[in-house]
Amino acid sequence: MFLALPPRCCLSLVLAVSFPGCAAFAADLDLDPVIVTGSRVEHSSFDLPAALTVVAADAISADQPRVNASEALASVPGISVQNRQNYAQDLQISSRGFGARSAFGVRGVRLIADGIPASMPDGQGQAATFNLDRAERIEVMRGPLSAIYGNHAGGVIQLFTPDGKGAPSISSSFVAGSYGTHKSDLSAQGETRGVGYVIDTSHFASDGYREHSAASRDQSLLKLTFRPSSDGKLSFVANSFRQQADDPQGVQWREFQTNPRSVAWDATRNNYPALAYNTRKTIEHTQGGLNYEHRFGDNTLQLSAYAGQRSTIQYQSIPVGAQSNPAHAGGIIDFDRDFSGLSARWIGRQALAGGRLTTTLGVDYEQSSDDRRGYENFIGSGSPANCVANLCGVKGALRRQERDRVASFDQYLQSEWQGERWTLSGGLRHSHLAFKVDDHYLANGDDSGRVSYDKTTPTLAALYRLDEAVNLYASAARGFEAPTFNEMFYSGGGGSLNLALKPSTSTHFETGIKAMLGNHSRLDLAFFRISTDNELVVLSSTGGRTAYQNAGPTTRKGIELALDSHWADDLNSRVAYTWLDARYDDSFSFQSGTPAVTRTVNAGNRLPGVAAQNLFGELVWKDGASGFHAGIEAIARGKVYVEDTNTDQAAPGYAIANLRAGIDRRFGPLKLATFVRLNNVFDRQYVGSVIVGDSNGRYYEAAPGRNWLAGVSAGYAF
């Protein structure tokens, strides 16, 4: 059942557990970081009754370009973050199997950056807007306690940037690597006249590993903090993000085997759809927010407000027959989105029954409004309807025009009592979501409509301190996941809005142990079981449209393990392992292909897009005197089914190794650093990610073979 570990990895694991006291130096890795996710107040991660991993700044920037969150989150158990080598479709993130089905963007996992949601009220989000250059830490919570954050089922990923402090300093970095990849970054931080500031801007570009996968990205961050009073703190955060990316799409299995870097060939139309239609995507995203915190003795009031705008235009390929089908949206997605939100919470603290009671009462309001248009991705009416008789890859006639609005209003209550041995916590959140579509393009019928959902989700958890070094905990919760707008847009019988979809509801149970093994090792072990009703699955995928339905129950159960150890001679190691068994409990059917064919999913089938096993291992040596460091990483993943019937070719499991080394030196106020990284040392050919349920069988997205990256950075403190 378990992956076969290399002998040296097994030896390291056994020694770390059996002889943790062998380390004889002051470790620089924080084994018990302070977090805020879950309890919403500063909290020791060791004393929180939940599976939560903190990725610190040095791990985020560990000889990496800091472009994709997949770089930083590879070492987190329970989370699967796949770099699709396709910047037009964003990262593929799933937590305990939730979110794996998403064709683009992130759903099922709540994304937050500096208190501003990167997920929209309907649950769809984009991790690409995370600014990793200035990230102080990333907190990743899985399991029941994350239900207090509302509409999601898999967990919460929060990114935090530091406040500007101290004397002014500037820094700059440049990295370059395989496939024409390069990135430059310039930043400044400090504090002047009581105002802290952090400023960052970067430019990234790559020709891409695969054909037709070039991308460029410009990203900026401004953060200001100051204290209007001794008890108050005000923060302002603004981000901008602009990206242009070609879309290589997925390929079929035979194409992956013969030429993994290629785009798909369409024998019916005798062309490469990605090239014929010049599939691509442009995003412009700007947002800003204010956070204010005021302390009243032991109590705290927190207020925040944010607003933003996002414009997206995406050119897709069109299936055979779509050019002459008036019900088809046309192949070009073009929308302008305005979004905003408000939140307020009161945190009260008081002594109670020999312990300390912390109570949080809060409200969140979020809304987004899209002016959405669809255009034909071609010009002409030539016969036959192909890209020879017509001009493709250009904006043609209008086929869709509507306004899509969604708003959520949530109220929640959390309480935690912390005594000498016991910590007891509970919470309750009520969520109201309202969707509305106003269709202004009526040539293909009126798709206007509205629907709303109301859900109340409770959480309950307990932690027992067995002794100073061992904590045992258990938690339970009810969660829910509303359908996103993208899942509502089509019904199985035609083009109308699918308002019959229900939110999926889930019951989560988790138990675990957190243990300090000696003075220099920490073990986190969690067992979980999740039962879900009304799971959102495909109803039909034909003619370039995917419609969804609610299926019967599913069950997810698994184990997550993380072990951090400090060894003698400045040696650190980390092992993260996940075993996940995610299956359908009942049978259902769906239609796929052109012409449509009915397919049956049997009870007991595995959920697609989810690997049964994931393993990450890292060994890093750092010499304090010279500043030299070197590390080796090992990543292994089990096979992944690509569609619900589990009969099409699964993406095989794989194991790869990465090497990295660098030097960090300080010369008075000047700090210099260089690094070099070699990924996929043994040049393995493997499927990096899959497009679940693609109706053309183009499920597979290849990962790069052996590739390199090198970088240099300099910082100066005045």
Side-chain angles (χ1 to χ4, degrees):
M1 179 180 70
F2 291 91
L3 291 164
L5 298 179
R8 292 184 180 180
C9 290
C10 292
L11 178 61
S12 298
L13 182 61
V14 171
L15 288 174
V17 173
S18 304
F19 305 103
C22 67
F25 62 93
D28 59 358
L29 182 61
D30 187 0
L31 294 177
D32 186 17
V34 173
I35 54 91
V36 298
T37 304
S39 60
R40 299 181 186 269
V41 295
E42 289 189 352
H43 208 295
S44 162
S45 68
F46 189 72
D47 293 327
L48 189 71
L52 190 143
T53 302
V54 179
V55 184
D58 57 348
I60 296 171
S61 60
D63 302 334
Q64 295 278 17
R66 302 189 301 271
V67 173
N68 299 300
S70 55
E71 305 162 13
L73 302 181
S75 63
V76 179
I79 293 283
S80 176
V81 187
Q82 304 302 319
N83 183 347
R84 309 177 62 176
Q85 307 303 315
N86 182 354
Y87 288 91
Q89 303 295 356
D90 207 349
L91 299 177
Q92 200 172 67
I93 302 179
S94 64
S95 175
R96 296 185 174 179
F98 293 98
R101 182 181 296 280
S102 180
F104 57 90
V106 179
R107 58 106 64 239
V109 180
R110 182 76 164 165
L111 304 176
I112 305 171
D114 281 324
I116 301 175
S119 298
M120 294 296 103
D122 68 343
Q124 193 83 28
Q126 288 80 30
T129 57
F130 278 4
N131 189 307
L132 301 177
D133 290 307
R134 296 300 102 200
E136 182 179 54
R137 70 186 189 278
I138 299 176
E139 298 179 5
V140 183
M141 172 178 279
R142 293 87 64 198
L145 255 63
S146 66
I148 201 68
Y149 286 83
N151 176 25
H152 70 84
V156 179
I157 300 177
Q158 285 209 68
L159 178 142
F160 298 87
T161 58
D163 296 341
K165 295 179 180 179
S169 64
I170 59 172
S171 63
S172 180
S173 66
F174 179 79
V175 297
S178 301
Y179 320 119
T181 299
H182 62 273
K183 180 188 174 187
S184 55
D185 176 76
L186 179 65
S187 66
Q189 78 88 39
E191 185 176 6
T192 179
R193 297 183 179 180
V195 178
Y197 59 89
V198 176
I199 305 171
D200 180 81
T201 185
S202 66
H203 173 74
F204 163 78
S206 176
D207 295 335
Y209 166 67
R210 295 180 57 200
E211 183 180 6
H212 196 67
S213 64
S216 65
R217 176 187 296 178
D218 293 288
Q219 197 164 7
S220 299
L221 165 73
L222 170 64
K223 183 176 183 180
L224 303 174
T225 55
F226 72 98
R227 293 188 175 275
S229 68
S230 60
D231 296 318
K233 177 184 175 183
L234 180 65
S235 301
F236 170 74
V237 182
N239 296 273
S240 69
F241 174 90
R242 189 180 192 278
Q243 179 176 279
Q244 294 178 301
D246 293 334
D247 184 355
Q249 304 181 322
V251 298
Q252 296 181 345
W253 178 246
R254 181 173 295 181
E255 294 169 322
F256 166 76
Q257 289 181 303
T258 56
N259 187 2
R261 301 184 66 173
S262 70
V263 295
W265 170 258
D266 189 331
T268 303
R269 290 182 292 192
N270 198 36
N271 68 11
Y272 297 95
L275 304 181
Y277 286 94
N278 191 17
T279 51
R280 60 200 188 273
K281 187 176 184 179
T282 299
I283 301 171
E284 294 185 2
H285 181 106
T286 304
Q287 66 183 38
L290 287 168
N291 296 301
Y292 179 70
E293 179 176 303
H294 194 97
R295 293 187 177 273
F296 300 88
D298 289 338
N299 305 317
T300 305
L301 175 66
Q302 296 176 344
L303 304 171
S304 66
Y306 69 90
Q309 198 276 336
R310 183 180 183 91
S311 296
T312 299
I313 183 166
Q314 181 175 6
Y315 289 72
Q316 301 175 316
S317 60
I318 302 176
V320 174
Q323 289 189 1
S324 57
N325 180 4
H328 195 274
I332 295 180
I333 300 171
D334 185 0
F335 69 84
D336 295 305
R337 172 179 299 159
D338 294 314
F339 59 93
S340 59
L342 299 167
S343 70
R345 68 180 64 97
W346 173 264
I347 302 171
R349 304 171 180 86
Q350 63 186 79
L352 179 68
R356 188 169 183 83
L357 178 68
T358 302
T359 301
T360 303
L361 179 65
V363 294
D364 293 331
Y365 174 78
E366 301 173 11
Q367 72 84 32
S368 69
S369 178
D370 293 1
D371 286 324
R372 184 175 292 266
R373 300 162 295 277
Y375 298 93
E376 295 175 347
N377 192 4
F378 65 94
I379 294 176
S381 57
S383 181
N386 58 28
C387 294
V388 177
N390 299 294
L391 179 62
C392 295
V394 295
K395 183 182 289 188
L398 182 72
R399 282 204 180 180
R400 180 180 186 177
Q401 185 176 16
E402 63 193 39
R403 167 162 282 195
D404 306 327
R405 286 171 283 189
V406 58
S408 66
F409 180 57
D410 293 20
Q411 314 88 46
Y412 59 90
L413 172 68
Q414 287 178 274
S415 289
E416 178 188 82
W417 180 83
Q418 186 170 0
E420 182 178 356
R421 288 279 187 176
W422 285 94
T423 294
L424 306 175
S425 63
L428 197 66
R429 184 180 184 110
H430 176 264
S431 299
H432 174 78
L433 276 84
F435 294 79
K436 184 180 180 182
V437 174
D438 292 316
D439 189 2
H440 303 298
Y441 183 82
L442 304 179
N444 58 354
D446 189 353
D447 288 340
S448 300
R450 63 175 66 198
V451 67
S452 62
Y453 307 114
D454 285 271
K455 291 292 179 182
T456 300
T457 51
T459 63
L460 186 65
L463 180 142
Y464 178 71
R465 295 169 186 82
L466 192 63
D467 56 38
E468 292 184 355
V470 179
N471 285 340
L472 308 175
Y473 73 89
S475 59
R478 290 279 288 172
F480 86 102
E481 197 173 16
T484 66
F485 258 130
N486 289 319
E487 292 158 341
M488 287 182 174
F489 279 143
Y490 304 116
S491 64
S496 61
L497 193 67
N498 189 352
L499 300 180
L501 289 177
K502 302 176 182 178
S504 61
T505 57
S506 50
T507 303
H508 301 247
F509 297 99
E510 177 179 306
T511 184
I513 180 172
K514 300 184 179 185
M516 295 293 185
L517 307 175
N519 295 323
H520 303 289
S521 292
R522 172 171 167 172
L523 172 70
D524 288 72
L525 182 62
F527 304 85
F528 63 88
R529 182 183 179 91
I530 307 166
S531 299
T532 301
D533 293 318
N534 291 319
E535 186 88 35
L536 287 165
V537 300
V538 171
L539 170 63
S540 64
S541 182
T542 61
R545 293 180 167 198
T546 301
Y548 292 86
Q549 63 178 326
N550 292 109
T554 62
T555 299
R556 296 166 171 86
K557 53 186 177 181
I559 302 170
E560 296 170 1
L561 177 147
L563 178 66
D564 290 286
S565 298
H566 303 296
W567 305 81
D569 300 323
D570 296 341
L571 198 64
N572 296 329
S573 67
R574 178 172 175 81
V575 175
Y577 174 75
T578 304
W579 173 74
L580 174 62
D581 186 18
R583 298 178 183 269
Y584 293 110
D585 295 339
D586 288 348
S587 300
F588 65 93
S589 61
F590 68 99
Q591 291 187 324
S592 180
T594 304
V597 176
T598 299
R599 308 184 71 180
T600 299
V601 179
N602 297 318
N605 278 14
R606 290 186 178 272
L607 271 64
V610 179
Q613 299 186 80
N614 284 279
L615 175 68
F616 174 89
E618 180 183 58
L619 192 64
V620 179
W621 175 71
K622 184 175 182 179
D623 180 63
S626 66
F628 176 80
H629 65 269
I632 181 171
E633 304 164 356
I635 300 173
R637 191 185 191 201
K639 72 176 181 180
V640 175
Y641 290 102
V642 296
E643 44 77 45
D644 291 314
T645 69
N646 293 176
T647 56
D648 290 358
Q649 172 65 50
Y654 63 86
I656 62 170
N658 306 321
L659 298 174
R660 59 187 178 90
I663 300 177
D664 301 323
R665 295 296 301 271
R666 184 178 292 277
F667 304 92
L670 178 65
K671 181 180 179 180
L672 298 175
T674 61
F675 77 88
V676 62
R677 166 179 283 271
L678 186 63
N679 295 316
N680 194 359
V681 174
F682 301 107
D683 199 24
R684 304 297 190 197
Q685 179 180 320
Y686 66 99
V687 177
S689 58
V690 300
I691 303 171
V692 172
D694 183 86
S695 60
N696 297 301
R698 300 171 187 157
Y699 306 117
Y700 313 99
E701 297 177 303
R706 185 185 299 115
N707 63 94
W708 64 274
L709 188 76
V712 58
S713 64
Y716 188 87
F718 294 92

